[in-house]
């Protein structure tokens, strides 16, 4: 009697992150739990945020009042994409207060990434880490990773990852998202979509929990983003559901991911800081088209992307390539239904002469080859 053997068709690994200690969510969670999450009763805190939140909303004053004697100073001039001048000035401010042990970032990706860079620099200078608490007001997911960066003077963004850059506590409080403009809220929701979709064809993505969570994320985003289009910021349940989906899109991908996220992300970095376009908007422009390119790239890509179709509201046909292409079409249709202007890069003042530069940035400097030609053709459709 011969032994029964089976072909192993699935293998991989997942390395959990250890920096996150608490994740709170729901209305009032900041007021109820923030002070108790400080590392000591004598903790000293600096807030990092942007000008709009500091001057056009009551959130910063509310946070300063809640912190009371723990509050030392507020850095409120962090601009989109975290220009290096803003980051360096913030680092100087924090290092000038040796008694500060905690930094609280309030806002979207730029203040969160800046706070992560500050945490790294302080750890390198002092030999001890800051506690980083974050209160996100967008769906960009910057709080989910131990990575961040800044934008150089030439407009090119530099990113890096270190364990010391991980966030310790996350607060998903809808009361702090109520002042986020609807377009920014929805576009960063598409950035979360970008995280979830690109994991499906990432060579290092684990089946559990990241791909499994991505199926949930796509379903939530396709359900909740149209609801938020009509109700933001008044429906707190939808707001919290979107916040948790944003976390699930990236927070459980683990530490074993090598290289960048994927082509849509690479194009986002090539288009974002150099031309002053928000990363949520770049995801709106690129993701659906990238999905269709990746579906044609390999049978395995098509198979993985096709798994998303039921979560987008479609029905599987059994033709994995066609199902995967339909996922791309449904993403494009969703973006259009959310009301985004997809007139193209020309309308944003970008010349077609920039196409080779954009493609080279997205592909890490490549100037020819089949992939270069495919991406160039894709970028041309963005004008």
């Amino acid at each position: 009697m011969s032994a029964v053997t089976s072909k192993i068709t699935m293998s991989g690994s997942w390395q959990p992150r250890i920096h996150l200690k608490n994740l709170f969510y729901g209305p009032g969670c900041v007021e109820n739990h923030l002070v108790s999450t400080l590392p000591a009763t004598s903790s000293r805190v600096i807030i990092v945020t942007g000008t709009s939140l500091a001057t056009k909303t009551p959130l910063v004053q509310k946070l300063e009042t809640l912190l009371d004697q723990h509050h030392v100073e507020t850095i409120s001039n962090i601009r989109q994409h975290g220009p290096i001048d803003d980051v360096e000035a913030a680092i100087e401010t924090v290092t000038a207060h040796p008694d500060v042990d905690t930094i609280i970032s309030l806002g979207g990706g730029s203040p969160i990434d800046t706070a992560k860079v500050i945490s790294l620099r302080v750890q390198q200078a002092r030999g001890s880490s800051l506690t980083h608490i974050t209160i996100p007001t967008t769906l960009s997911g910057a709080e989910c990773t131990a990575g961040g960066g800044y934008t150089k003077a030439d407009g090119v963004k530099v990113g890096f990852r270190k364990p010391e850059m991980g966030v310790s506590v996350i607060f998903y409080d809808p009361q702090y998202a109520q002042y986020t403009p609807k377009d920014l809220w929805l576009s960063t929701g598409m950035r979360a979509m970008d995280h979830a979709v690109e994991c499906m064809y990432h060579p290092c993505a684990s089946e559990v929990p990241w791909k499994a969570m991505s199926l949930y994320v796509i379903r939530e985003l396709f359900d909740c983003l149209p609801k938020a289009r009509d109700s933001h910021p008044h429906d707190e349940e939808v707001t919290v559901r979107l916040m948790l989906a944003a976390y699930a899109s990236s927070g459980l991908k683990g530490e074993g991911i090598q290289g960048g996220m994927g082509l849509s992300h690479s194009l986002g970095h090539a288009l974002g800081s150099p031309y002053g376009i928000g990363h949520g908007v770049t995801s709106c422009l690129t993701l659906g088209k990238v999905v269709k390119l990746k579906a044609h790239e390999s049978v395995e890509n098509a198979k993985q992307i096709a798994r998303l179709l039921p979560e987008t509201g479609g029905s599987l046909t059994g033709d994995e390539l066609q199902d995967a292409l339909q996922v791309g079409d449904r993403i494009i249709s969703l973006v259009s239904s959310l009301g985004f202007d997809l007139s193209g890069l020309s309308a944003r003042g970008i010349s077609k002469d920039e196409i080779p530069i954009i493609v080279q940035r997205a592909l890490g400097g490549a100037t020819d080859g089949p992939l270069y030609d495919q991406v160039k053709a894709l970028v041309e459709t963005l004008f």
Side-chain angles (χ1 to χ4, degrees), residues 74-275:
T74 296
I75 300 167
S76 59
N77 60 346
I78 306 302
R79 291 169 289 172
Q80 181 175 257
H81 298 301
I84 182 60
D85 291 346
D86 295 359
V87 175
E88 293 291 354
I91 291 169
E92 289 183 14
T93 298
V94 175
T95 53
H97 295 280
D99 59 334
V100 167
D101 63 357
T102 302
I103 190 166
I104 295 178
S105 57
L106 171 67
S110 296
I112 295 172
D113 274 3
T114 297
K116 288 192 283 188
V117 175
I118 293 171
S119 297
L120 176 63
R121 294 286 186 87
V122 169
Q123 196 278 334
Q124 291 171 338
R126 296 182 186 173
S128 59
S129 299
L130 293 172
T131 293
H132 181 182
I133 298 171
T134 186
I135 307 170
T137 61
T138 75
L139 301 169
S140 69
E143 67 277 4
C144 300
T145 67
Y150 51 80
T151 300
K152 298 187 297 181
D154 62 2
V156 177
K157 193 161 188 176
V158 176
F160 42 91
R161 295 175 61 207
K162 296 283 186 180
E164 301 92 327
M165 297 172 72
V167 172
S168 298
V169 184
I170 300 172
F171 284 93
Y172 289 128
D173 192 327
Q175 295 172 1
Y176 279 74
Q178 64 179 306
Y179 299 98
T180 303
K182 184 181 292 186
D183 282 354
L184 178 59
W185 185 248
L186 297 177
S187 67
T188 55
M190 289 305 302
R191 189 62 171 175
M193 183 86 73
D194 213 329
H195 296 314
V197 170
E198 293 227 288
C199 105
M200 300 306 291
Y201 43 78
H202 195 290
C204 300
S206 62
E207 182 63 28
V208 173
W210 196 17
K211 286 186 179 181
M213 293 304 298
S214 291
L215 298 175
Y216 152 79
V217 170
I218 301 301
R219 184 171 65 251
E220 283 290 277
L221 293 177
F222 265 83
D223 183 31
C224 289
L225 285 175
K227 291 178 178 176
R229 174 198 60 206
D230 300 330
S231 67
H232 181 75
H234 306 294
D235 191 329
E236 290 188 334
E237 180 179 352
V238 169
T239 298
V240 174
R241 285 176 64 188
L242 285 168
M243 287 174 151
L244 294 178
Y247 177 77
S249 75
S250 192
L252 296 173
K253 67 184 180 183
E255 295 289 2
I257 302 300
Q258 301 298 317
M261 273 291 302
L263 178 58
S264 183
H265 277 70
S266 298
L267 284 168
H269 288 299
L271 292 168
S273 54
Y275 306 107

Side-chain angles (χ1 to χ4, degrees), residues 200-203 211 290-306 319-322 324-325 371 374:
M200 300 306 291
Y201 43 78
H202 195 290
K211 286 186 179 181
V290 167
V291 164
K292 298 174 78 170
L293 183 154
K294 298 296 289 187
H296 281 293
E297 188 176 73
S298 72
V299 172
E300 182 60 24
N301 281 353
K303 176 182 177 180
Q304 293 298 321
I305 295 167
D319 184 327
E320 290 174 340
L321 176 58
Q322 292 305 313
L325 293 175
L371 181 59
Q374 293 169 13

